[in-house]
Amino acid sequence: MMSFSQADAFSPSQFTSSQNAAADSTTPSKSRGASSTMPLTVKQISEAQQSGSAGEKGAPFVVDGVETANVRLVGLVSGKTERNTDVSFTIDDGTGRLDFIRWVNDAADSAETAAVQNGMYVSVIGSLKGLQERKRATAFAIRPVTDYNEVTLHFIQCVRMHLENTKSQIASPAKTYSAMGSSSSNGFSEMTTPTSVISNPAPVLSVTNGSKIDLNTEVLNVFREPANLESEHGVHVDEIVKRFRLPEAKIRVAIDYLADIGHIYSTIDDFHFKSAFNE
């Protein structure tokens, strides 16, 4: 169920020490195979239209002309209810409320949901389900937010995504943000690549035989190496720095960008990252 609310303005003072401790103890969630996620507000989701004829059951929802399966929200948790097989809760981001369900399959899932409590700000990634008049979401990754700047950044990303998608509709048909996109040789596909990848190309790392190689792609390829895919904690930032022999600041820009568009995610801390691709 989804409804609108006039939530209090986000305040840094609401980030308590207990929330910080909960975030530190959270077990990193497993990759669910999402190739990219779309930052949205609850209001954007409430206004999303279901594609297909007359809201066909199972049809994806369309936001700003873009079909989306995986979304990311940041907001306040309320109404958390725990059962043997799942945990349900509501996210209030100040623009509205959206109900989520998080299925619990193993100890890692239990640890992840246990770290989340009512009154806590969280970042949640999930997929939209239901029909036009009754939207709901299934969460497959949720973690406490410990830095207020992340809340601000999320809304900035929502605005930027909205502007890019509405502007791109003038010149091109809608793209799809989904876990079902086909892969390409450089790890990005036309179907799953956010507009920002096209409009803001990565710095050129080198030129070989006239072919330019961008840093974002090269860094992503490191995370997708078989040994790093099998690693529980992923790859440390220092290892990437040593591999490319570049300043850490430049590597950080590439890593932050890949994390923002959902191609990698942090695991045990802010220095370890892992590919969101399974293969």
Side-chain angles (χ1 to χ4, degrees):
M1 177 180 178
M2 181 163 45
S3 62
F4 294 102
S5 66
Q6 297 296 326
D8 296 335
F10 292 120
S11 169
S13 63
Q14 293 176 324
F15 291 89
T16 64
S17 57
S18 62
Q19 180 159 343
N20 290 332
D24 293 338
S25 63
T26 303
T27 301
S29 62
K30 299 182 294 298
S31 168
R32 303 304 190 208
S35 57
S36 67
T37 58
M38 191 173 186
L40 294 174
T41 65
V42 175
K43 186 175 188 297
Q44 286 177 297
I45 292 175
S46 72
E47 296 174 348
Q49 299 295 317
Q50 202 165 20
S51 63
S53 57
E56 179 183 350
K57 185 176 181 180
F61 288 95
V62 177
V63 178
D64 295 330
V66 178
E67 291 184 355
T68 177
N70 300 324
V71 300
R72 181 173 74 249
L73 287 89
V74 174
L76 194 68
V77 175
S78 64
K80 180 184 178 184
T81 303
E82 299 183 61
R83 289 175 286 269
N84 291 334
T85 59
D86 65 83
V87 174
S88 60
F89 55 91
T90 300
I91 292 294
D92 187 338
D93 69 352
T95 71
R97 297 177 180 177
L98 179 63
D99 293 335
F100 278 85
I101 186 170
R102 173 71 161 91
W103 297 104
V104 178
N105 300 309
D106 52 33
D109 293 340
S110 297
E112 180 179 289
T113 55
V116 176
Q117 302 298 328
N118 288 329
M120 176 182 290
Y121 284 96
V122 299
S123 173
V124 57
I125 297 176
S127 57
L128 297 179
K129 306 291 182 182
L131 298 175
Q132 179 63 40
E133 66 276 6
R134 183 175 175 81
K135 301 184 183 75
R136 65 183 188 279
T138 298
F140 50 77
I142 180 172
R143 61 175 176 78
V145 171
T146 58
D147 185 349
Y148 176 71
N149 290 323
E150 184 173 345
V151 179
T152 305
L153 176 61
H154 175 75
F155 282 99
I156 292 174
Q157 291 172 332
C158 291
V159 171
R160 179 181 178 181
M161 187 68 68
H162 167 73
L163 292 175
E164 289 183 342
N165 288 338
T166 53
K167 180 175 64 177
S168 65
Q169 289 178 40
I170 300 175
S172 62
K175 293 183 174 62
T176 301
Y177 285 74
S178 170
M180 302 304 292
S182 59
S183 61
S184 59
S185 59
N186 64 358
F188 297 98
S189 67
E190 179 67 19
M191 181 174 290
T192 62
T193 302
T195 311
S196 56
V197 175
I198 301 173
S199 60
N200 296 290
V204 174
L205 180 63
S206 64
V207 178
T208 304
N209 297 327
S211 299
K212 296 181 179 180
I213 301 176
D214 68 81
L215 182 58
N216 289 347
T217 300
E218 289 301 297
V219 171
L220 178 61
N221 287 339
V222 173
F223 286 107
R224 299 187 68 186
E225 291 176 358
N228 294 331
L229 289 175
E230 295 176 2
S231 173
E232 180 180 358
H233 297 154
V235 185
H236 195 285
V237 173
D238 289 346
E239 294 183 33
I240 306 295
V241 173
K242 292 178 182 178
R243 176 79 68 93
F244 293 101
R245 298 180 181 178
L246 293 172
E248 181 178 346
K250 182 171 291 188
I251 296 297
R252 270 290 186 182
V253 170
I255 288 177
D256 290 345
Y257 180 75
L258 292 171
D260 285 343
I261 63 174
H263 288 295
I264 63 175
Y265 61 95
S266 60
T267 56
I268 59 175
D269 54 32
D270 291 336
F271 299 95
H272 287 82
F273 293 84
K274 192 171 183 179
S275 171
F277 295 93
N278 291 325
E279 57 182 27

